[in-house]
Amino acid sequence: MPTTTPAHLRRTGPDPAHDPRGGPRRERGDVPGWVLITLMTAALVSALWLVAEDQLVSMFQNALASVGG
């Protein structure tokens, strides 16, 4: 016996995964948002490095010394 999809689960519009002209839709994402996040992260790392360079280098050297023996 064939099953049917209940009415509340059926799609009633264009398929969002396909372009109306045919073929799959290409999602480009939010490129400007990713660029902004990347630039802000780089700025935060640079600011942190300027403020705490000596402490960061010391922590890194201590960590390497404890692992390397």
Side-chain angles (χ1 to χ4, degrees):
M1 170 179 359
T3 60
T4 58
T5 305
H8 67 281
L9 295 178
R10 283 188 227 136
R11 291 184 189 247
T12 58
D15 184 0
H18 285 81
D19 191 321
R21 293 166 288 184
R25 179 179 292 174
R26 295 179 187 219
E27 298 267 342
R28 294 184 63 184
D30 187 10
V31 175
W34 283 108
V35 171
L36 181 62
I37 289 170
T38 303
L39 291 175
M40 289 175 63
T41 302
L44 285 172
V45 169
S46 298
L48 182 63
W49 187 263
L50 288 173
V51 171
E53 180 178 2
D54 295 334
Q55 293 85 355
L56 292 171
V57 170
S58 175
M59 286 174 35
F60 182 70
Q61 288 174 342
N62 289 338
L64 287 180
S66 69
V67 172

